[in-house]
């Protein structure tokens, strides 16, 4: 059954007033019953009104709370007088004496309610406004007094009325004056505007009823239980409704000068009514008494004062408005100048075109970017200017946002430079046709040609091995994933993977040097290309590891055939610098049918390759499920690594960083080394991967950071020399905790100056969980830590990431440095990276410098800092400390 909606309070109170009025008018039940209803009903109504006002006062507090308290006490005073009247008239059955105790309650209401109304807050006011308010109050008071004198007081005085009786019309004048003054001061949309309007009506009703009561009493015409009692009952009913009515809240501060138009005219309205009464009285009696004449004269004086105040206030308002207009005009002029400077000096060209692509506005920056004078473009149609290749995409972009205000479209189009070159540009088009200040399409155009070429080159570098030109590990993995997807989809083809590791390559490197090793790898790559089928993917993973993807209906057999051809190709001697070298390869084969996913497939191929190598090398091993023995050693190494920190088997070596301008050592990079009790020195390549995979990198990374910071503080003790300590941070550390909190904790523990710490991270940190990692990097920057992007160019290398992330240092990967001195394109790529770093305000560091030619080239290119074996190998702490003390003399940095 649906719930009934509660009956509104207004309806209940209104029905009570209507019933009371009908009862008083008809006299239902006789005079005695009507008197009882009148007396008791008025007592209850005034009592309810007083209690409601006091409860509202408790809730409001402040000045408004005091106002409601005064009104509530006034209502209770009247209720006391009415209760005394009812006791005498009903309980004692006697005529109520006049004057008597009830008059104390009735007249005591006047100062209480008047004080409450005058306490109503009116907001901030100027001095002139306050004086005008006083003048308004005097006009209202004198006008009401004049009306009361003509209608009530003059007849009362002439008839010799009692002083107490005269107090009722005087009290009415005071009440109505206070009410109308509060109405004149009422703020527009104030929090209590609605309740105060009800109070004004209530006070006026009670005041008029008091005047009529005095007049009827003078002529012995008042009877208890008459229609006049409805006036008091209805007046206090309005007080009750005002107390129960919820206040409204304004959205913000208003000007204290603003009021309701009617409220501003209240003093004049009351005065006009008073003047009309005096005119009618003069017309009836033909005489003007001194009170009437004096009141009118006083009103004329008040009008003059009020007009003078209004004139003064208008002049002040005019000055304020002029000051505001002047300030706003200055602000708009400054804003326009700023806007013009930003548009004209922007790195983007800004234009406004009509719907038919006619250029209406063109910023001066177009000449700096594309070489065209702005005036030469005005009035031309953009779709005709940009050429056929760009016109089509640009027209489609305009059409896509034509009917949607504020819509934005971004399009990349080729634009011809004034010198004839074709440049790739990015246009951002915003539909502001409906904006009256623009009425057109706004085009922001920037030249992204160089950035796009660099990004394409970096992406190519990321997906291809720089030395051999073969596919990189990243692209190899994508090709395997695609092949597995086709195999899973039932395309009728299978997938096989070959993993190849050269046998004896380390010996070639150690004996003949890295240059000979690189030349060997290039020839091996060429032989691998010649041995595989068309469509097969050959990749180099790094070092001497290669991979091949074979996809066919007979994948296993085809893979075995390819492996046989590779083995045969590698048997041919390799000629290097007048020497004949023979190399072989250990090859592992795994099929997609034997693996659940790509990781397992690659792991299986790795296991097979290790089986072939452990069998003596120069052969092929095919994966079978029993090839898990090779994992035992890895698991043992993992277990030993967990204990290495506790056994103090890990140590740090420090590789100096040199300023290429001065040759001074400006910092060190901390590199971890493992002295295994039985295996001897374990290469970081053998255990860092395990630490990454198992999560041990988190405690290991914290230990490295703390140890490096302690060593830095120890070197800096008693010295004023400042240097950077660089520590590598893994993406796994970002994934497994709050890196910024960990760094802050280590800094506090070690006393390391925060400006001397540099954290190095690869681009994988930027590409993994980017929002969370960005938050952590911003926290690190807030600490004051220097941030470096390590191995730049080996990953995705998005320029957007460089702009977004707060990096300070760009470390050029050693693969770029190794190729310096050869192809000019390699040198141009490094030059571009150095320029990119400078344009972004980043320091550039070159890694892996191994000969003086590379060092000289990097100096000429403007690279800031350098590291490499030519300068110094990673050194134990004691030797690194001596390098720091002895400086470049110990390093023998080439000039």
């Amino acid at each position: 059954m649906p719930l009934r909606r509660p009956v509104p309070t207004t309806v209940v109170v209104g029905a009570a007033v209507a019933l009371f009025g009908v009862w008083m008018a008809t006299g239902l039940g006789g005079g005695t019953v009507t008197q009882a209803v009148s007396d008791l009903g008025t007592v209850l109504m005034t009592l309810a009104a007083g209690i409601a006002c006091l409860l509202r006062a408790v809730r409001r507090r402040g000045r408004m709370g005091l106002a409601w308290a005064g009104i509530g006490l006034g209502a209770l005073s009247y209720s006391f007088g009415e209760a005394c009247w009812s006791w005498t008239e009903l309980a004692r059955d006697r005529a109520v004496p006049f004057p008597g105790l009830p008059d104390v309650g009735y007249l005591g209401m006047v100062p209480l309610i008047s004080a409450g109304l005058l306490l109503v807050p009116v907001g901030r006011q100027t001095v002139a406004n306050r004086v005008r308010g006083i003048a308004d109050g005097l006009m209202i008071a004198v006008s009401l007094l004049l009306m009361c004198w003509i209608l009530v007081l003059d007849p009362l005085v002439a008839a010799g009325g009692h002083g107490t009786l005269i107090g009722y019309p005087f009290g009415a004048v005071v009440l109505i004056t206070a009410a109308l003054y509060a109405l004149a001061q009422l703020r527009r949309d104030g929090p209590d505007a609605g309740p105060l309007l009800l109070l004004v009506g209530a006070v006026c009703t009670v005041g008029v009823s008091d005047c009529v009561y005095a007049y009827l009493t003078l002529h012995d015409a008042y009877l208890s239980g008459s229609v006049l009692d409805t006036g008091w009952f209805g007046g206090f009913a309005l007080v009750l409704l005002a107390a129960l009515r919820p206040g409204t809240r304004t959205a913000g501060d208003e000007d204290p000068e603003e009021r309701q138009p009617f409220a501003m005219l209240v003093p004049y309205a009351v005065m006009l009514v008073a003047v009309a009464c005096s005119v009618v009285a003069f017309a009836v009696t033909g005489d003007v008494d001194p009170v009437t004449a004096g009141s009118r004269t006083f009103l004329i004086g008040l009008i003059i004062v009020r007009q003078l105040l209004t004139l003064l206030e208008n002049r002040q308002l005019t000055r304020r408005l002029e000051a505001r207009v002047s300030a706003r005009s200055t602000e708009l002029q400054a804003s326009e100048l700023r806007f013009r400077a930003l548009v004209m000096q922007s790195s983007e060209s800004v234009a406004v075109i009509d719907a038919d692509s006619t250029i209406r506005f063109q910023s001066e920056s177009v000449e700096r970017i594309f070489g065209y004078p702005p005036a030469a473009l005005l009035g031309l149609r953009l779709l005709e200017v940009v050429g056929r290749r760009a016109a089509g995409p640009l027209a489609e972009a305009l059409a896509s946002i034509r009917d949607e205000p504020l819509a934005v479209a971004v399009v990349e189009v080729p634009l011809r430079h004034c010198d004839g070159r074709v440049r790739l540009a990015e246009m951002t088009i915003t539909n502001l046709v409906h904006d009256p200040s623009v009425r057109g399409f706004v085009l922001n155009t920037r030249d992204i040609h160089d950035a796009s070429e660099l990004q394409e080159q970096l992406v190519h570098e990321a997906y291809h091995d720089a030395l051999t030109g073969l596919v990189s590990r990243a692209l190899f993995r994508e090709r395997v994933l695609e092949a597995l997807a086709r195999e899973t989809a039932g395309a009728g083809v299978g997938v096989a993977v070959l993993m190849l590791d050269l046998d004896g390559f380390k010996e070639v490197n150690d004996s003949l040097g890295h240059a000979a090793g690189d030349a060997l790898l290039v020839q091996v790559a060429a032989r691998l290309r010649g041995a595989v089928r068309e469509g097969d993917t050959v990749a180099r993973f790094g070092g001497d590891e290669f991979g091949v993807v074979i996809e066919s209906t007979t994948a296993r057999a085809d893979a075995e055939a390819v492996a046989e051809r590779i083995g045969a190709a590698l048997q041919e001697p390799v000629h290097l610098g007048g020497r004949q070298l023979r190399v072989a390869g250990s090859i592992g084969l795994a099929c997609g049918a034997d693996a659940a996913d790509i990781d397992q497939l690659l792991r299986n191929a790795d296991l097979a390759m290790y089986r072939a190598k452990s069998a003596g090398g120069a052969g092929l091993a095919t994966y079978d499920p029993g090839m898990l023995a090779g994992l035992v050693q890895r698991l043992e190494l993992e277990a030993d690594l967990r204990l290495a920190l506790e056994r103090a088997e890990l140590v740090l070596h420090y590789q100096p960083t040199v300023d290429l301008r001065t040759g001074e050592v400006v910092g060190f990079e901390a590199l971890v080394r493992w002295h295994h009790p039985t295996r001897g020195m374990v290469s970081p390549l053998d255990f860092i991967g395990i630490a990454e995979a198992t999560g041990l990198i988190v405690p290991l990374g914290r230990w490295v950071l703390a140890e490096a910071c302690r060593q830095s503080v120890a070197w800096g003790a008693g010295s004023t020399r400042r240097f950077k300590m660089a520590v590598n941070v893994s993406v796994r550390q970002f994934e497994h905790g709050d890196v910024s909190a960990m760094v802050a904790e280590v800094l506090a523990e070690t006393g390391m100056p925060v400006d001397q710490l540099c954290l190095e991270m690869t681009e994988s940190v930027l590409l993994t969980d980017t929002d969370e990692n960005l938050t952590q990097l911003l926290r690190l920057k807030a600490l004051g830590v220097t941030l470096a992007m390590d191995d730049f160019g080996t990953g995705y290398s998005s320029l957007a990431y460089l702009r977004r992330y707060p990096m300070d240092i760009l470390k050029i990967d050693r693969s770029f440095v190794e190729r310096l001195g050869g192809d000019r394109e390699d040198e141009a790529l490094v030059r571009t990276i150095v320029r990119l770093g400078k344009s972004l305000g980043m320091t550039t560091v070159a890694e892996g410098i191994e000969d003086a030619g590379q060092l000289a080239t990097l100096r000429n290119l403007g690279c800031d800092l350098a590291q490499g074996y030519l300068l110094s190998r990673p050194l134990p702490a004691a030797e690194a400390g001596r390098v720091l003390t002895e400086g470049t003399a110990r390093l023998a940095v080439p000039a």
Side-chain angles (χ1 to χ4, degrees):
M1 181 177 180
L3 296 174
R4 292 185 177 181
R5 296 180 62 185
V7 180
T9 306
T10 305
V11 175
V12 175
V13 175
V17 173
L19 179 61
F20 187 91
V22 170
W23 201 311
M24 296 302 104
T26 58
L28 293 174
T32 303
V33 175
T34 302
Q35 284 181 353
V37 170
S38 173
D39 294 344
L40 296 177
T42 305
V43 170
L44 293 175
M45 182 58 72
T46 53
L47 183 63
I51 294 173
C53 289
L54 291 178
L55 291 175
R56 189 180 183 105
V58 172
R59 292 195 302 270
R60 287 307 306 272
R61 308 196 179 196
R63 243 188 106 167
M64 199 64 212
L66 293 176
W68 282 106
I71 296 167
L73 292 174
L76 293 179
S77 176
Y78 195 96
S79 180
F80 168 75
E82 188 65 24
C84 293
W85 178 291
S86 302
W87 174 259
T88 303
E89 188 173 62
L90 299 178
R92 301 180 65 184
D93 195 20
R94 295 181 183 178
V96 179
F98 182 82
L101 191 58
D103 298 301
V104 175
Y106 296 147
L107 295 176
M109 166 198 67
V110 174
L112 291 171
I113 291 184
S114 299
L117 290 171
L118 294 176
L119 282 172
V120 172
V122 294
R124 295 178 290 109
Q125 290 184 320
T126 62
V127 175
N129 213 0
R130 292 175 184 170
V131 175
R132 189 181 67 180
I134 296 172
D136 289 346
L138 290 174
M139 287 178 64
I140 294 171
V142 173
S143 299
L144 290 174
L145 185 61
L146 178 58
M147 285 189 288
C148 189
W149 172 261
I150 294 171
L151 298 176
V152 180
L153 287 176
D154 190 23
L156 281 176
V157 173
H162 193 280
T164 303
L165 187 60
I166 295 175
Y168 280 93
F170 266 117
V173 170
V174 173
L175 278 176
I176 297 175
T177 298
L180 294 181
Y181 177 77
L183 179 63
Q185 299 295 312
L186 186 64
R187 291 178 64 189
R188 178 179 299 176
D189 297 330
D192 286 285
L196 286 176
L197 287 174
L198 290 175
L199 284 176
V200 170
V203 170
C204 291
T205 302
V206 172
V208 171
S209 299
D210 283 350
C211 290
V212 175
Y213 165 74
Y215 187 83
L216 293 177
T217 302
L218 177 66
H219 296 86
D220 293 326
Y222 174 71
L223 294 175
S224 178
S226 63
V227 176
L228 180 60
D229 293 354
T230 306
W232 291 305
F233 186 87
F236 283 101
L238 289 175
V239 174
L240 175 62
L241 287 177
L244 296 177
R245 181 186 176 94
T248 58
R249 295 289 179 185
T250 56
D253 295 337
E254 66 165 79
D255 191 331
E257 302 296 326
E258 293 189 13
R259 293 194 184 86
Q260 298 284 4
F262 171 74
M264 295 182 67
L265 298 176
V266 166
Y268 293 102
V270 178
M271 184 199 67
L272 288 175
V273 174
V275 170
C277 287
S278 67
V279 171
V280 172
F282 176 76
V284 172
T285 63
D287 185 27
V288 179
D289 60 84
V291 175
T292 303
S295 298
R296 290 194 298 192
T297 302
F298 192 65
L299 283 174
I300 292 172
L302 288 174
I303 292 173
I304 294 172
V305 172
R306 195 180 193 283
Q307 290 304 112
L308 289 175
L309 289 171
T310 302
L311 178 62
L312 177 62
E313 193 174 357
N314 286 340
R315 291 181 63 185
Q316 293 176 345
L317 180 60
T318 301
R319 285 197 295 270
R320 285 200 300 273
L321 289 176
E322 288 176 350
R324 289 183 184 178
V325 170
S326 176
R328 183 59 177 162
S329 298
T330 303
E331 182 182 347
L332 288 174
Q333 187 176 12
S335 177
E336 182 180 356
L337 291 175
R338 283 194 302 271
F339 172 76
R340 183 176 295 276
L342 288 172
V343 170
M344 297 309 174
Q345 301 303 322
S346 171
S347 61
E348 298 181 356
S349 165
V350 181
V352 178
I353 64 173
D354 291 328
D356 63 352
S357 83
T358 300
I359 302 173
R360 248 188 319 114
F361 168 81
Q362 177 62 65
S363 67
E364 295 178 3
S365 55
V366 70
E367 187 169 6
R368 186 175 66 256
I369 301 171
F370 294 106
Y372 297 99
L377 299 175
L378 294 178
L380 302 179
R381 294 190 64 206
L382 181 65
L383 294 180
E384 297 174 355
V385 172
V386 297
R388 286 180 298 176
R389 289 178 59 193
L394 188 56
E396 291 179 6
L398 286 169
S400 68
I401 62 172
R402 190 180 303 277
D403 299 325
E404 187 178 351
L406 301 179
V408 177
V410 180
V411 60
E412 292 184 4
V413 293
L415 298 180
R416 187 170 296 278
H417 193 276
C418 185
D419 61 10
R421 293 175 298 151
V422 176
R423 309 289 292 175
L424 183 64
E426 180 186 80
M427 282 189 175
T428 302
I429 311 171
T430 307
N431 183 353
L432 295 181
V433 174
H434 298 79
D435 188 329
S437 60
V438 181
R439 297 194 180 280
F441 295 91
V442 177
L443 276 70
N444 294 77
T445 307
R446 62 191 183 100
D447 186 341
I448 61 170
H449 194 85
D450 292 338
S452 178
E453 282 189 345
L454 174 60
Q455 184 156 339
E456 288 177 2
Q457 189 171 0
L458 292 176
V459 169
H460 181 272
E461 295 286 347
Y463 279 127
H464 293 82
D465 177 57
L467 177 65
T468 63
L470 296 177
V471 166
S472 69
R473 183 186 296 271
L475 185 55
F476 180 82
R477 186 179 178 88
E478 288 186 11
R479 297 274 175 86
V480 175
L481 278 172
E482 293 169 0
L484 285 174
R486 286 189 287 271
E487 182 181 49
T488 305
V493 294
V495 181
V497 171
L498 296 177
M499 292 289 190
L500 180 145
D501 185 85
L502 294 181
D503 301 328
F505 178 75
K506 185 177 184 301
E507 287 74 11
V508 174
N509 253 349
D510 292 342
S511 59
L512 301 181
H514 290 290
D518 290 347
L520 173 61
L521 292 174
V522 170
Q523 292 197 36
V524 168
R527 295 184 183 187
L528 291 178
R529 288 194 193 96
V532 300
R533 306 170 309 159
E534 184 178 357
D536 292 341
T537 298
V538 184
R540 180 188 175 216
F541 297 151
D544 59 344
E545 292 187 26
F546 298 85
V548 182
V549 184
I550 294 97
E551 187 177 7
S552 70
T553 55
T554 55
R556 182 184 295 272
D558 290 341
E560 290 174 348
V562 169
E564 185 176 346
R565 290 197 296 273
I566 290 174
L570 292 179
Q571 287 179 359
E572 295 294 325
V574 177
H575 299 277
L576 289 177
R579 291 186 178 88
Q580 270 196 359
L581 301 177
R582 292 187 178 275
V583 295
S586 300
I587 305 174
L589 186 156
C591 295
D594 299 326
D597 52 35
I598 183 174
D599 293 323
Q600 187 175 359
L601 174 59
L602 298 180
R603 186 202 67 185
N604 292 348
D606 267 334
L607 289 172
M609 184 264 291
Y610 286 127
R611 170 65 64 84
K613 187 172 284 291
S614 62
L620 170 69
T622 302
Y623 170 79
D624 65 73
M627 288 184 177
L628 295 177
L631 291 177
V632 174
Q633 183 179 4
R634 179 183 175 91
L635 294 174
E636 289 176 351
L637 201 61
E638 177 186 337
D640 290 344
L641 182 59
R642 293 182 183 276
L643 300 174
L645 282 170
E646 302 174 9
R647 296 173 177 172
E649 296 172 2
L650 298 175
V651 295
L652 293 185
H653 285 193
Y654 301 90
Q655 185 171 33
T657 301
V658 176
D659 189 327
L660 286 179
R661 290 181 294 272
T662 65
E664 292 294 323
V665 175
V666 294
F668 293 91
E669 180 178 1
L671 302 169
V672 66
R673 298 292 185 263
W674 184 9
H675 291 287
H676 194 279
T678 59
R679 302 174 191 267
M681 182 67 75
V682 180
S683 169
L685 296 176
D686 293 333
F687 70 86
I688 292 297
I690 296 175
E692 292 269 4
T694 59
L696 289 173
I697 195 68
V698 176
L700 175 61
R702 192 190 190 287
W703 178 86
V704 170
L705 177 63
E707 186 65 22
C709 288
R710 289 191 186 94
Q711 186 61 66
S712 179
V713 171
W715 283 337
S719 172
T720 59
R721 186 171 181 184
R722 310 288 290 180
F723 59 90
K724 290 280 187 185
M725 178 62 75
V727 178
N728 290 282
V729 183
S730 165
V731 66
R732 296 289 178 263
Q733 291 176 265
F734 282 87
E735 294 173 355
H736 287 83
D738 189 342
V739 175
S740 59
M742 183 269 289
V743 170
E745 184 179 277
V746 170
L747 290 173
E749 289 176 1
T750 60
M752 171 77 166
V754 67
D755 61 332
Q756 291 184 229
L757 177 62
C758 174
L759 296 182
E760 297 185 4
M761 59 210 70
T762 62
E763 296 168 63
S764 58
V765 172
L766 311 186
L767 299 173
T768 306
D769 196 7
T770 53
D771 290 336
E772 176 62 28
N773 288 352
L774 174 59
T775 301
Q776 296 211 48
L777 291 176
L778 291 175
R779 290 175 185 164
L780 289 169
K781 283 299 296 179
L783 288 176
V785 175
T786 301
L787 301 180
M789 180 183 288
D790 200 7
D791 301 337
F792 179 72
T794 59
Y796 185 61
S797 304
S798 169
L799 299 180
Y801 284 115
L802 285 181
R803 293 192 184 98
R804 183 181 180 192
Y805 284 85
M807 292 294 167
D808 304 294
I809 297 176
L810 202 63
K811 299 196 71 173
I812 305 171
D813 186 65
R814 65 179 63 248
S815 61
F816 298 112
V817 176
E818 288 172 355
R819 302 200 301 272
L820 289 178
D823 196 331
R824 295 184 62 84
E825 289 186 4
D826 297 329
E827 183 175 325
L829 177 58
V830 175
R831 178 185 292 108
T832 302
I833 295 176
V834 171
R835 288 179 179 176
L836 175 64
K838 290 185 181 299
S839 69
L840 296 175
M842 300 169 70
T843 302
T844 51
V845 181
E847 299 180 289
I849 299 175
E850 297 189 359
D851 62 55
Q854 295 169 351
L855 186 66
T857 302
L858 288 166
R859 276 194 176 124
N860 293 333
L861 293 178
C863 185
D864 300 306
L865 308 176
Q867 286 178 277
Y869 277 25
L870 176 67
L871 304 174
S872 173
R873 293 174 175 271
L875 304 172
E879 293 184 36
R882 287 195 292 272
V883 166
L884 185 63
T885 303
E886 299 170 12
T888 53
R890 178 176 178 82
L891 292 180
V893 178

